Amino acid sequence: MTNDTWIAVDWGTSHLRAWHMAQDRVLAEAASDAGMSALGRADFEAALLALIAGWLDGPTDVLACGMVGSRQGWQEAPYSAVPCAPLGAAPVRAHATDPRLRVHIVPGLKQVRPADVMRGEETQVAGFLARNPGWDGVVCLPGTHTKWAHVSAGEVVSFQTFMTGELYFTLARHSVLRHSLTEAGWDAEAFADGLKDGMARPERLAARLFGLRAADLLENASPEATRARLSGLLIGAELVAARPYWLGQQVALVGAAKVTGPYKNALDQQAVPVQIADGADMVRAGLKVAHDSLKETA
Amino acid sequence: MTNDTWIAVDWGTSHLRAWHMAQDRVLAEAASDAGMSALGRADFEAALLALIAGWLDGPTDVLACGMVGSRQGWQEAPYSAVPCAPLGAAPVRAHATDPRLRVHIVPGLKQVRPADVMRGEETQVAGFLARNPGWDGVVCLPGTHTKWAHVSAGEVVSFQTFMTGELYFTLARHSVLRHSLTEAGWDAEAFADGLKDGMARPERLAARLFGLRAADLLENASPEATRARLSGLLIGAELVAARPYWLGQQVALVGAAKVTGPYKNALDQQAVPVQIADGADMVRAGLKVAHDSLKETA
């Protein structure tokens, strides 16, 4: 007999989040820092059970997306090639020794030319389309590796990844700029200035970055202003390069409020029509689509 | 009675190098990783003596440049504002308890608008001018924070710093790219490709960076090619932004061979006349100028 609840898992490089679900209703949730990069292949089952064992009272479907399906993950789920539906191929079964676990991993997407990949965001796109049937446009998923995906007729037609979030964090934590900015606080005017500069002269990024340090030393720029200006410079340069994705398009921003906020602000200034969807909601909605597909093919 | 030898010291954020000098002849050299960032104010004298105590047989002039003169250094040597001679102000005396040490720290340079600073490179520029009297043009000092300095009539007229080297190292060591590149090895063709792409579409940097990762995953790009392409992309974007510094100018590249090499290659392709000078030679030549200036004012 099958339990009629199921478990949704978002398993990235540095995080693990799980939700105990009844259809599309959240019964419970849990998270840990047992991301893919912290685990060997033999550790995945234990890391998952550490979060969800209390939810299991019989064989239960676990639907997972993200880096857990990479070559270094629990079980490789080979990329589907775009153009294709965001959940272009069936989930891949991962071996578990606990008989209560029936683990299915959603494949990521790849693009051959220019070479690009995603794992996890395809599930959010699928969730967004499930909530917005027939939607055509561009889905932007800001984050460590921001994705812009052109969606038409239920398929991801093309996509492009920008390392904007990772540039921000590696610079903020590991470069000389770590002395000049905070991890919290925000200066809206400094963000707007950085955005304007980043869009006007994106090639000057490396000079503007050192300029943040010099402005701290010579002008006592505030750490909040430096942080916001850095974000503006990076997002500004990204918007210039991503222009073919947003110009004349309707854009859906999918993510947590703290990452979608600056992009919304920037796209508003370009008069781009933007709607916002919560990233965790879309993960669960996408995994629900994947879970439903299991039943159809069973 | 004064010892007629002297000591040249290049003291940066992460390194300390010292040379025992007789005029401009090197008698001995020593280095450690006791950079400014590793030291509290009270630790500088001991860190220096650990390297040079064996060279001291009486009161000896020590001429030092670099971050040792910053606010967090041994003794702040306030910036001189450009336009000015590279050694625009007299060295600042730093207090030492050992009576054999007569420590003088060379001030750095600042530019008010756009805000910019240098500490250490001004000494290399002074050394280059001492070796090339009457030289006018642009001195480029590639490194963690690459400097382009416009030099005319013996003065630094303006300069601009690019965080290119630090971008390279933070990405290579702390981003997802660390899985895809080596710390050694070189692929000249991949460098040329990256340079071309970086110059043609510098705004695409954040996308090209993730493209390096995707090319590794999908096309098994070699770690040597990824490393060289990363360098090409970053230097290409820098050259676009620094064009006012090199277009129609004669350029002197000052630094270690491993950092000047890629810039020479890139500037050659732009038909820019380039001469090269060794960075450590120029540090010693510049500190010799500063040492000579002490005697003149004594």
Side-chain angles (χ1 to χ4, degrees):
Chain A
M1 184 192 131
T2 302
N3 193 331
D4 69 349
T5 66
W6 62 287
I7 293 168
V9 176
D10 179 11
W11 208 328
T13 302
S14 57
H15 70 272
L16 166 58
R17 294 182 73 182
W19 296 271
H20 191 200
M21 305 292 294
Q23 292 291 338
D24 52 10
R25 191 161 53 89
V26 177
L27 303 175
E29 62 179 286
S32 79
D33 59 1
M36 182 274 288
S37 67
L39 301 173
R41 184 148 295 188
D43 307 324
F44 283 87
E45 186 172 346
L48 182 61
L49 283 170
L51 282 191
I52 68 161
W55 302 344
L56 300 172
D57 58 3
T60 303
D61 285 330
V62 176
L63 276 290
C65 67
M67 294 302 286
V68 66
S70 70
R71 206 168 297 166
Q72 293 76 35
W74 188 340
Q75 165 69 48
E76 185 175 6
Y79 300 110
S80 305
V82 298
C84 65
L87 301 181
V92 172
R93 188 73 184 261
H95 175 73
T97 54
D98 189 313
R100 298 171 299 175
L101 291 177
R102 302 197 306 199
V103 178
H104 306 268
I105 300 179
V106 172
L109 298 183
K110 71 177 173 185
Q111 178 174 275
V112 174
R113 195 164 181 85
D116 213 329
V117 292
M118 66 167 74
R119 281 197 186 277
E121 294 89 353
E122 73 295 326
T123 302
Q124 298 183 57
V125 172
F128 183 80
L129 289 179
R131 296 279 177 85
N132 300 272
W135 191 89
D136 272 14
V138 167
V139 182
C140 173
L141 305 111
T144 306
H145 300 150
T146 297
K147 310 285 179 183
W148 294 80
H150 184 197
V151 173
S152 181
E155 293 196 330
V156 174
V157 177
S158 66
F159 65 98
Q160 185 160 27
T161 305
F162 292 79
M163 212 185 268
T164 304
E166 189 153 28
L167 272 170
Y168 177 88
F169 285 110
T170 55
L171 289 166
R173 292 170 186 167
H174 300 289
S175 84
V176 70
L177 295 180
R178 69 188 184 281
H179 303 301
S180 298
L181 50 72
T182 47
E183 295 248 337
W186 193 254
D187 179 324
E189 196 180 332
F191 175 76
D193 280 351
L195 187 70
K196 192 175 144 198
D197 278 4
M199 290 198 74
R201 301 298 300 263
E203 75 280 9
R204 289 193 182 167
L205 181 64
R208 299 297 198 208
L209 293 177
F210 191 79
L212 296 174
R213 180 64 179 154
D216 175 19
L217 293 171
L218 299 183
E219 298 161 7
N220 292 310
S222 81
E224 294 76 16
T226 303
R227 172 174 188 259
R229 188 167 155 76
L230 171 59
S231 176
L233 288 168
L234 292 169
I235 291 175
E238 177 180 339
L239 285 195
V240 173
R243 190 172 272 135
Y245 275 89
W246 52 261
L247 192 67
Q249 296 283 342
Q250 61 171 335
V251 172
L253 282 169
V254 176
K258 69 175 178 183
V259 293
T260 55
Y263 280 80
K264 171 79 164 71
N265 183 321
L267 289 167
D268 282 350
Q269 288 183 36
Q270 302 299 316
V272 176
V274 173
Q275 67 187 102
I276 290 187
D278 179 70
D281 275 355
M282 297 304 105
V283 170
R284 293 189 301 265
L287 290 173
K288 171 77 162 49
V289 172
H291 187 220
D292 291 345
S293 75
L294 292 181
K295 297 176 203 162
E296 286 159 21
T297 58
Chain B
M1 183 195 130
T2 300
N3 193 330
D4 69 350
T5 66
W6 63 288
I7 293 169
V9 175
D10 180 11
W11 207 328
T13 303
S14 57
H15 71 271
L16 166 58
R17 294 181 72 181
W19 296 270
H20 192 201
M21 306 291 296
Q23 293 292 337
D24 53 10
R25 192 161 52 88
V26 177
L27 303 174
E29 63 179 284
S32 79
D33 58 1
M36 180 276 288
S37 66
L39 302 174
R41 183 148 295 186
D43 307 325
F44 283 88
E45 184 172 346
L48 181 63
L49 283 169
L51 282 190
I52 68 161
W55 303 343
L56 301 171
D57 59 2
T60 304
D61 285 329
V62 176
L63 276 290
C65 67
M67 293 302 287
V68 67
S70 70
R71 205 168 297 165
Q72 293 76 36
W74 188 342
Q75 166 67 50
E76 184 173 8
Y79 300 109
S80 305
V82 297
C84 65
L87 301 180
V92 172
R93 188 72 183 261
H95 174 75
T97 54
D98 188 313
R100 298 171 299 174
L101 291 177
R102 304 198 303 198
V103 178
H104 307 267
I105 300 179
V106 172
L109 299 183
K110 70 176 173 185
Q111 178 174 275
V112 174
R113 197 166 179 83
D116 214 330
V117 292
M118 67 168 74
R119 280 197 186 278
E121 295 88 352
E122 73 296 325
T123 302
Q124 298 183 57
V125 173
F128 183 80
L129 290 179
R131 295 281 176 85
N132 300 272
W135 191 89
D136 272 14
V138 168
V139 182
C140 173
L141 305 111
T144 304
H145 300 151
T146 297
K147 310 284 180 185
W148 293 80
H150 185 198
V151 173
S152 181
E155 294 196 331
V156 175
V157 178
S158 66
F159 65 100
Q160 185 159 26
T161 305
F162 292 80
M163 211 185 266
T164 305
E166 189 154 27
L167 271 171
Y168 177 89
F169 285 112
T170 54
L171 288 167
R173 290 170 187 168
H174 300 290
S175 84
V176 70
L177 295 180
R178 69 188 184 279
H179 304 299
S180 298
L181 50 71
T182 47
E183 294 248 339
W186 194 253
D187 179 324
E189 196 180 332
F191 175 76
D193 280 350
L195 186 69
K196 193 175 143 198
D197 278 5
M199 291 197 74
R201 302 298 299 264
E203 75 281 8
R204 290 192 181 167
L205 182 64
R208 299 296 198 210
L209 293 177
F210 191 79
L212 296 173
R213 179 62 181 156
D216 176 18
L217 293 172
L218 299 183
E219 298 161 6
N220 292 309
S222 81
E224 294 77 16
T226 303
R227 173 174 188 259
R229 188 166 155 76
L230 172 60
S231 175
L233 287 168
L234 293 170
I235 292 175
E238 178 180 339
L239 285 195
V240 174
R243 190 172 272 134
Y245 274 89
W246 53 261
L247 193 67
Q249 297 283 342
Q250 61 171 336
V251 172
L253 282 169
V254 176
K258 69 176 177 181
V259 293
T260 54
Y263 281 79
K264 172 81 163 70
N265 183 322
L267 289 167
D268 282 350
Q269 288 184 36
Q270 303 298 317
V272 177
V274 173
Q275 67 188 102
I276 290 185
D278 179 71
D281 275 356
M282 296 306 105
V283 170
R284 294 190 300 266
L287 290 172
K288 171 77 161 49
V289 172
H291 187 220
D292 291 346
S293 76
L294 293 181
K295 297 177 204 161
E296 286 159 20
T297 58

